[in-house]
Amino acid sequence: MKFGELIPLIGALLNFSLAVFVLFQNPRAAVARVYFLMGTCFAIWNYGTFWMFRVPAGNEHYQDALYWARFLQFGVIFIPLTLCHVSFLVAQIRIPRWIVWLLYSFHLALFCSNFTGFFLAGVKNVGYAWYSVAGTGFWILSGVFSLMWVSVGVLIWHRRSLPPLGKRRLTPLIVAQTAFAIFGCNDMLPILGIYYYPYTGAQVYPFGSMAVILYGVIVGYSVLQYQLLDVHVTLNRSTAKTVRVLFIFFTGLCSLLIFWLVNRDEFTFYSFFAGLATLMIGAICASSLFPRLFGENTETVERHILGDTFEYQDQVGKFIETITWYSDLTALLNDLHELLVRVFQLDSYYLILRNETNHLFELTRSYPVQAPRPVPELRGQSAVFRYFDWAKREYLSLTEEDNQARSSNELAEQARAELAPLEGQFCFPLSSEGEIFGLLVIGKKNSEQFTFNDISLLISLVKSFSLMVNQIRLRSQVQQAAELDLLGKMSRGMAHDLNNLLTPVWTLLQLSTESGNTEPLDDELLPVALRNVSTMRAYIKEALFFSENLRPDLQLGRLDLVVRQAADLARASRKKEVDVIPETPGEALVEMDEVLIQRLIANLISNSIDASPSGSQIRVQLERFAKSDAAREWWCVRVIDQGEGIPKENLTRILTPYFTTKNRGDENRGFGLGLAICRKIVHLHGGHLSISSQPKKGTTVQFDLPSRQTKPATIAVMKIPA
């Protein structure tokens, strides 16, 4: 095999693969079907040329050369027409159907004539290869080749009416078709009997196959970068790596072919493919072992060549997947800002949300940063909301640069006029159950055009974002309702308790007032009043502790010593003969607030003493969990008693503030804040608290603490280099 034979073979494989890819991406589109026919014609022409180059010289091989000459002409016949047809479809110029059928019927007649001597008179060997000899049919086709120049003219004419970004989308295709028209006409010269360039004496060489490769590469670039031919490409990270390796392969192949053309004698079949294989092995190893070679400092160039069709939608997809984790609207807006500015690379955006209190629309977040403010021109009956409600569209184009997406109706123009002060490119509605509660207006994309892939990702992002904002707001409303309900319970409980506690104090003061300070105060009533005042002070102290947003003073300390101190304190103040037994394994270093942890353990032991019969035991166990976190360890503290236990119906309510099972009104009565305070202390340390109990068998309260405090993890998608 000669190295020059590789050129048409590569052209055949490249163009047929691209034609199949385009067809399968959008088989219903007319432009995709016509392009598939054109790509197939390219492949037939190149494949026939490949085999024709391989036919040896000599009259004994004449019939083989004639066979492959007719084979490749079957592809050539339809190339000018399909190329022109694709250009008209890209330019969105409608051709009457009868003209299309007439032209294809004419070419089909030429196709059939290729089986006879009417189209080709024969073949001729010109020294380096066999060439077809034109018959009457081919001379007719040579006149039809002017359609290739018509296709170029159509694209140039269409380009003049496009905005700047649209012109950039069409320029590569014009360049490719111009090059193909020039080199295609060059390849026709020997067939028409012209073997030397006029006035030069230089022999005519076929360059059409190389032009077809160039055309295929440029169309592939335009499909990836500009969504040409209505092909909407979405590829993943592994495919991106494959494209990079294939790019290196084709670059190396073209380089070796150029070196071969310069000095053919120094190349052998083995050295050519050994060099190509070495390049491929190095590229694959580098992409697998050193991925930064394919990313760092080259992302801008790659993004310009391939468009936004690879890793960047993986980042957006991961953000959409993790969006349900958010419970705070501020955090969600912060990460959305990072996504829009650093991933989509928007130079501006405006997020407008409806205030649920006054139902007015407000500028909630923007870039460049602006202070939040009302947007009085936007109301429920504004044109932009009426447009989305009427048109049921997922976005509205705000500029002249997206002709296909623009609507000419009056309502759409009114909506654009309302949003004109924001100077945006697209507007996306935020809605829930058909009701619009906000807008996302985005600006330009850092001097790049928006592709269909951009719009699709933004639509998916806005839908997920709308759902999450609505859920966070509903959750906030439920939380507010729960807080109001809790406030009502607290008010009723505190009113009842304080009323009971104040009764003897009020009675004592009333008797003191009526006696005119002439009689001594009631000896029995005075101790009760003093005790009740003390109880009220403790009550208020606990209520204040529970309501405060505390920040623990975290210091590295020994949890085992805190457990023993709490046990000793409980033993010293117990009112029952209950044995408190601490079980600690040794030194346990934990980052904690020792005062709060000691209060936590003391509260749990005190509750266990109240619930335990005399003569029983309470065990306080400290245990280290099996290590599952590389950065820190976890410790578990259990307070186990042999008391009455907790009924199953109360287990779900036992941690609720102001819920208590103790009797009210005496000195041992509870306020319902003890376990709630314990849970709050555990949560302040990043731990977990749980209770298990069986009636008549006892209760176990367990809390787990990490040895080190860590900052909340951030979502990986947001760690994007500037």
Side-chain angles (χ1 to χ4, degrees):
M1 179 187 294
K2 299 177 182 178
F3 297 135
E5 299 169 6
L6 290 174
I7 296 175
L9 182 60
I10 293 170
L13 294 174
L14 174 64
N15 282 280
F16 185 72
S17 300
L18 183 59
V20 172
F21 173 76
V22 169
L23 180 66
F24 275 87
Q25 291 297 313
N26 194 0
R28 294 184 177 181
V31 66
R33 296 196 297 268
V34 176
Y35 182 81
F36 173 75
L37 176 60
M38 185 183 71
T40 304
C41 292
F42 279 145
I44 293 172
W45 169 36
N46 288 150
Y47 188 68
T49 304
F50 165 73
W51 284 105
M52 197 170 178
F53 278 176
R54 301 203 66 192
V55 177
N59 292 332
E60 66 274 17
H61 300 293
Y62 180 86
Q63 290 300 325
D64 291 337
L66 181 61
Y67 171 81
W68 288 112
R70 296 191 188 282
F71 180 89
L72 68 89
Q73 294 301 333
F74 284 127
V76 172
I77 288 170
F78 281 99
I79 286 177
L81 177 59
T82 53
L83 191 67
C84 188
H85 196 178
V86 167
S87 299
F88 272 85
L89 291 172
V90 169
Q92 300 178 0
I93 300 175
R94 293 194 61 183
I95 308 174
R97 183 166 295 184
W98 67 269
I99 295 180
V100 175
W101 282 107
L102 180 62
L103 290 172
Y104 274 98
S105 299
F106 172 75
H107 282 74
L108 183 61
L110 290 177
F111 181 89
C112 294
S113 71
N114 191 35
F115 290 98
T116 68
F118 176 77
F119 192 81
L120 289 182
V123 291
K124 180 181 180 179
N125 191 284
V126 297
Y128 60 87
W130 290 90
Y131 260 97
S132 303
V133 176
T136 303
F138 192 88
W139 279 98
I140 295 174
L141 181 66
S142 64
V144 178
F145 260 69
S146 61
L147 288 176
M148 292 196 299
W149 293 106
V150 172
S151 68
V152 174
V154 166
L155 294 180
I156 293 175
W157 176 83
H158 178 59
R159 184 180 182 275
R160 293 177 59 188
S161 62
L162 293 176
L165 295 181
K167 291 180 179 179
R168 288 179 56 189
R169 299 183 183 191
L170 205 57
T171 298
L173 188 61
I174 295 174
V175 172
Q177 290 196 187
T178 303
F180 177 70
I182 293 173
F183 291 115
C185 292
N186 172 85
D187 284 13
M188 289 177 58
L189 295 177
I191 301 176
L192 298 175
I194 303 173
Y195 302 107
Y196 296 91
Y197 294 112
Y199 309 109
T200 62
Q203 191 174 16
V204 175
Y205 278 97
F207 295 107
S209 295
M210 295 185 65
V212 168
I213 295 177
L214 173 66
Y215 183 83
V217 169
I218 289 182
V219 170
Y221 162 79
S222 300
V223 165
L224 290 173
Q225 174 72 306
Y226 301 131
Q227 308 302 327
L228 191 70
L229 308 177
D230 288 337
V231 176
H232 309 140
V233 184
T234 302
L235 303 178
N236 56 27
R237 192 181 302 272
S238 60
T239 312
K241 185 178 292 185
T242 302
V243 169
R244 294 186 185 112
V245 174
L246 288 176
F247 179 80
I248 293 175
F249 171 77
F250 280 109
T251 303
L253 177 61
C254 293
S255 301
L256 287 173
L257 286 173
I258 292 172
F259 286 122
W260 170 76
L261 289 173
V262 173
N263 192 347
R264 304 182 187 184
D265 297 335
E266 296 298 326
F267 277 86
T268 64
F269 184 87
Y270 175 80
S271 64
F272 185 93
F273 285 98
L276 193 61
T278 301
L279 180 66
M280 282 298 296
I281 292 172
I284 293 172
C285 291
S287 65
S288 302
L289 302 177
F290 304 97
R292 290 190 178 182
L293 290 174
F294 291 81
E296 202 166 282
N297 299 324
T298 62
E299 292 176 357
T300 302
V301 177
E302 178 183 297
R303 191 181 183 95
H304 182 72
I305 295 175
L306 299 180
D308 298 324
T309 56
F310 294 131
E311 286 101 330
Y312 112 107
Q313 79 260 11
D314 290 339
Q315 298 169 347
V316 178
K318 181 171 287 187
F319 178 80
I320 292 175
E321 289 177 4
T322 58
I323 203 170
T324 54
W325 298 355
Y326 288 87
S327 58
D328 179 65
L329 184 59
T330 301
L332 177 60
L333 294 181
N334 290 339
D335 287 349
L336 177 69
H337 169 83
E338 294 293 318
L339 197 69
L340 294 176
V341 174
R342 305 188 67 177
V343 177
F344 283 99
Q345 295 192 344
L346 300 180
D347 62 2
S348 65
Y349 76 86
Y350 303 91
L351 179 63
I352 300 170
L353 295 177
R354 184 179 61 198
N355 189 310
E356 293 302 302
T357 303
N358 54 24
H359 294 277
L360 296 178
F361 286 91
E362 298 177 348
L363 180 63
T364 305
R365 189 66 65 92
S366 62
Y367 177 80
V369 179
Q370 297 183 17
R373 57 179 173 81
V375 186
E377 56 269 24
L378 292 180
R379 299 185 178 275
Q381 293 302 313
S382 296
V384 62
F385 301 115
R386 287 188 284 118
Y387 168 78
F388 284 118
D389 185 58
W390 166 78
K392 306 299 181 186
R393 293 286 298 272
E394 294 173 320
Y395 70 96
L396 172 65
S397 172
L398 304 179
T399 67
E400 295 288 346
E401 296 177 353
D402 188 1
N403 293 332
Q404 293 181 353
R406 286 184 62 85
S407 302
S408 58
N409 66 80
E410 183 179 353
L411 190 58
E413 293 302 327
Q414 291 176 3
R416 293 187 184 100
E418 288 180 350
L419 297 174
L422 299 180
E423 298 181 352
Q425 295 250 320
F426 294 94
C427 175
F428 298 85
L430 308 178
S431 61
S432 174
E433 298 180 354
E435 182 182 2
I436 299 177
F437 64 85
L439 299 171
L440 175 63
V441 180
I442 63 173
K444 294 182 180 179
K445 189 185 166 190
N446 280 8
S447 302
E448 295 183 14
Q449 66 283 349
F450 283 94
T451 65
F452 181 87
N453 191 49
D454 292 324
I455 302 301
S456 298
L457 288 173
L458 283 166
I459 290 173
S460 300
L461 175 64
V462 168
K463 286 182 177 179
S464 300
F465 177 76
S466 300
L467 181 63
M468 201 61 232
V469 169
N470 189 55
Q471 289 183 359
I472 291 175
R473 287 186 166 185
L474 288 176
R475 193 180 301 135
S476 177
Q477 293 174 4
V478 171
Q479 184 177 357
Q480 289 178 4
E483 289 176 354
L484 290 174
D485 183 61
L486 176 60
L487 181 61
K489 292 179 180 178
M490 290 170 54
S491 301
R492 290 192 297 271
M494 292 182 70
H496 182 271
D497 291 343
L498 291 175
N499 185 61
N500 290 341
L501 293 169
L502 282 171
T503 298
V505 178
W506 174 256
T507 303
L508 180 63
L509 293 176
Q510 192 173 31
L511 291 175
S512 175
T513 303
E514 292 176 353
S515 63
N517 294 328
T518 57
E519 298 181 6
L521 296 176
D522 192 315
D523 293 337
E524 296 182 1
L525 198 56
L526 182 58
V528 173
L530 291 174
R531 185 178 66 241
N532 284 9
V533 171
S534 177
T535 303
M536 283 189 289
R537 293 182 63 188
Y539 194 171
I540 293 170
K541 185 177 180 181
E542 287 195 4
L544 288 174
F545 179 89
F546 180 75
S547 63
E548 288 176 348
N549 183 18
L550 296 177
R551 291 186 178 181
D553 181 17
L554 299 174
Q555 301 290 337
L556 192 62
R558 290 185 57 179
L559 182 58
D560 56 307
L561 295 181
V562 174
V563 169
R564 291 186 173 277
Q565 291 170 2
D568 293 341
L569 183 63
R571 276 196 297 262
S573 60
R574 69 183 186 274
K575 299 178 181 179
K576 291 182 182 178
E577 291 299 323
V578 176
D579 194 9
V580 180
I581 304 174
E583 300 175 5
T584 56
E587 185 177 273
L589 293 176
V590 174
E591 196 174 14
M592 60 183 171
D593 187 320
E594 292 190 10
V595 175
L596 293 180
I597 295 298
Q598 184 170 332
R599 176 173 183 174
L600 161 66
I601 299 173
N603 275 3
L604 296 180
I605 295 175
S606 177
N607 287 344
S608 295
I609 292 175
D610 290 342
S612 299
S614 298
S616 62
Q617 288 185 342
I618 295 175
R619 290 180 295 136
V620 185
Q621 298 177 342
L622 175 62
E623 178 183 340
R624 176 190 293 161
F625 283 150
K627 192 167 186 177
S628 59
D629 190 338
R632 56 183 181 173
E633 296 178 329
W634 282 82
W635 292 87
C636 164
V637 177
R638 298 188 188 91
V639 179
I640 307 170
D641 64 47
Q642 301 170 344
E644 293 295 319
I646 302 172
K648 184 179 295 186
E649 61 271 16
N650 289 339
L651 270 178
T652 58
R653 305 169 58 195
I654 197 71
L655 294 174
T656 303
Y658 294 94
F659 174 82
T660 180
T661 58
K662 298 179 182 179
N663 295 328
R664 296 175 180 269
D666 60 13
E667 60 181 342
N668 294 322
R669 49 173 303 287
F671 304 129
L673 286 173
L675 286 175
I677 289 174
C678 291
R679 184 175 64 171
K680 180 167 185 175
I681 293 174
V682 173
H683 286 179
L684 288 173
H685 287 76
H688 314 282
L689 185 141
S690 60
I691 301 176
S692 60
S693 182
Q694 294 184 8
K696 307 300 181 183
K697 293 185 178 180
T699 300
T700 299
V701 181
Q702 173 179 320
F703 65 90
D704 312 326
L705 296 178
S707 60
R708 294 287 189 276
Q709 300 296 319
T710 60
K711 296 181 179 179
T714 56
I715 297 178
V717 68
M718 302 320 305
K719 297 178 180 178
I720 303 165

